[in-house]
Amino acid sequence: MEERLYGDHTMADIDLAAVERRALDELAAACDAAAAAAWRARYLGKKGEVTQLLRGLGVLPADRRKQAGQTANRLRALLQEAFDRRRALLEASSPAPSAAIDVTLPARPHRQGHLHPITLTLREIERAFRDMGFAVVEGPQVEWDEYNFERLRIPADHPARDMWDTLWIDYERDGRYPMLLRTHTSPMQIRYIERHRPPIRVIVPGTCYRYEATDATHEWMLTQVEGLVIDEGISFAHLKGTLEAFVHRLFGPDVEARFRCDYFPFVEPGAEVAIRWRDGRWIELLGAGMVHPEILAATGYDPARYTGFAFGIGVERTAMLRYGIDDIRYFYDNALGFLEQF
Ligand code: FA5
């Protein structure tokens, strides 16, 4: 009787225990889902070894068929179980498809920001003065009353204090509040004169704060660029020439700059510079003047030998005029629609 069941073997020849061992060894070596699937096709698929084996049972004589059938079915169940365990293990140890890195995806576009318009304007101002031979120095934003006011000839009871509505620091000493947020960059005039000898030619960019109601041309936080020049033979003509060169460098050679008398306790004489706005209005850009002789004397300079000039430029005002912006409050609103235009 024909007993061909499996390849060249008869059912009697087949060592099911050996098939089991071989199958389990191969399954253990299948180290990814594809290898496990191939193994499954090889043993349990339609044309798989164990499936063929079961199909061939029909040709066995009835007395042997039952027992061979039970053995082969047990083998199939055992291999199916082993396969399920292996697949679960492989799935647990490999990343889920959604977490896999798809190297063929196009990169996300790189969003590039840019500098704030006040920083851009500040850099232009610095470049203009560097080209005229000025050095750039910085000073503290939290300042002593002594530097912000007193040594600039503005004592505690002086009405000129009203020119700078001040934000005081909550720090008491001897019944007084001696510390504040600087209202202008002028305290650096004193700090710099204290530590250096002439010739002096510096600018001091920096943030200042004022307890001020905001409107189209006033912010409570503003940026200034202080300038200080001290040497023998410095005159008001140097002040005017320097500031005119600055205005023409930033706004073009045809822009009109208006010099008018102004009062600041630390200069004598004092001036303000305004430039003409589109609608014909004049917009004040900076305060300036000749360094007061008493300030030079108080810091040990001989005012008969040395003279100097100083100025304080409003950077937001400069940016407004440069870019044609009619309200200063846009700068610190953080509205991207505005900032992206620069
Ligand atoms: C001063 O602060 C003097 N320290 C300037 C100075 C320096 C005079 C050296 C003489 C010698 P004033 O308060 O005017 O001055 O301010 C100077 C400039 O800062 C103004 O011309 C203006 O452009 C700008 N500025 C002043 N207050 C504000 C504000 N609230 N918001 C925006 N800009 C302002």
Side-chain angles (χ1 to χ4, degrees):
M1 149 165 205
E2 180 57 66
E3 274 201 331
R4 282 183 78 84
L5 274 178
Y6 175 73
D8 293 331
H9 304 281
T10 61
M11 188 68 189
D13 292 335
I14 293 173
D15 180 352
L16 287 179
V19 174
E20 180 187 326
R21 266 197 312 279
R22 173 160 48 80
L24 291 179
D25 282 351
E26 283 179 25
L27 183 62
C31 54
D32 58 29
W39 176 93
R40 185 187 199 195
R42 209 154 59 239
Y43 286 97
L44 303 171
K46 253 193 206 149
K47 294 191 174 143
E49 196 170 326
V50 177
T51 315
Q52 297 290 351
L53 209 136
L54 279 158
R55 282 214 189 109
L57 289 174
V59 299
L60 286 179
D63 58 327
R64 289 183 55 201
R65 200 188 302 153
K66 190 171 171 215
Q67 205 227 328
Q70 280 175 352
T71 315
N73 268 322
R74 223 178 300 136
L75 176 63
R76 186 175 65 170
L78 184 136
L79 293 186
Q80 180 64 48
E81 239 175 73
F83 172 79
D84 290 344
R85 270 200 309 277
R86 184 79 190 145
R87 186 169 58 180
L89 192 78
L90 289 172
E91 274 173 7
S93 60
S94 65
S98 62
I101 295 167
D102 182 352
V103 292
T104 65
L105 275 179
R108 286 203 188 94
H110 183 65
R111 286 197 63 177
Q112 195 172 10
H114 61 75
L115 295 174
H116 190 276
I118 296 304
T119 309
L120 293 169
T121 307
L122 192 54
R123 290 197 177 173
E124 265 189 77
I125 296 173
E126 285 177 8
R127 222 173 294 131
F129 283 105
R130 268 186 214 274
D131 289 353
M132 289 191 260
F134 283 73
V136 183
V137 296
E138 288 186 31
Q141 294 182 25
V142 177
E143 193 42 286
W144 299 109
D145 181 319
E146 182 188 347
Y147 285 97
N148 195 84
F149 290 131
E150 275 172 39
R151 292 178 64 185
L152 287 167
R153 303 184 67 254
I154 315 168
D157 55 359
H158 198 287
R161 289 219 173 189
D162 295 347
M163 293 162 70
W164 294 280
D165 293 306
T166 310
L167 290 156
W168 297 92
I169 302 287
D170 188 11
Y171 166 68
E172 194 182 340
R173 198 175 59 189
D174 304 329
R176 294 184 56 219
Y177 289 87
M179 213 187 252
L180 46 79
L181 292 180
R182 70 176 172 196
T183 60
H184 52 177
T185 41
S186 296
M188 268 303 280
Q189 287 186 32
I190 307 295
R191 286 183 179 276
Y192 201 81
I193 294 172
E194 267 180 348
R195 287 187 172 74
H196 299 84
R197 310 309 301 168
I200 287 172
R201 208 187 306 169
V202 291
I203 56 165
V204 188
T207 312
C208 309
Y209 305 86
R210 296 187 187 183
Y211 185 64
E212 209 153 41
T214 61
D215 62 26
T217 54
H218 292 86
E219 262 290 2
W220 61 269
M221 181 180 84
L222 59 136
T223 317
Q224 287 191 343
V225 174
E226 191 81 8
L228 180 67
V229 174
I230 298 175
D231 203 352
E232 290 180 42
I234 298 291
S235 72
F236 199 90
H238 293 115
L239 179 160
K240 196 156 187 257
T242 304
L243 291 177
E244 267 174 356
F246 160 71
V247 165
H248 292 151
R249 166 92 179 245
L250 255 87
F251 301 103
D254 303 325
V255 166
E256 268 183 281
R258 184 188 71 184
F259 284 72
R260 283 208 311 199
C261 287
D262 201 352
Y263 170 69
F264 300 98
F266 36 94
V267 290
E268 180 61 37
E272 61 140 71
V273 177
I275 70 172
R276 200 192 277 279
W277 185 234
R278 282 178 305 193
D279 59 8
R281 256 187 314 150
W282 292 94
I283 293 212
E284 184 195 315
L285 196 62
L286 60 94
M290 299 304 289
V291 178
H292 201 290
E294 281 181 18
I295 286 184
L296 294 173
T299 33
Y301 290 24
D302 177 4
R305 182 171 171 204
Y306 291 111
T307 47
F309 67 85
F311 54 85
I313 303 167
V315 179
E316 285 78 9
R317 300 271 179 92
T318 307
M320 288 172 78
L321 293 159
R322 275 283 279 135
Y323 297 118
I325 293 157
D326 56 13
D327 196 318
I328 196 171
R329 289 166 292 197
Y330 284 122
F331 288 123
Y332 301 116
D333 264 359
N334 283 335
L336 283 182
F338 171 76
L339 295 173
E340 278 169 353
Q341 294 175 48
F342 293 89

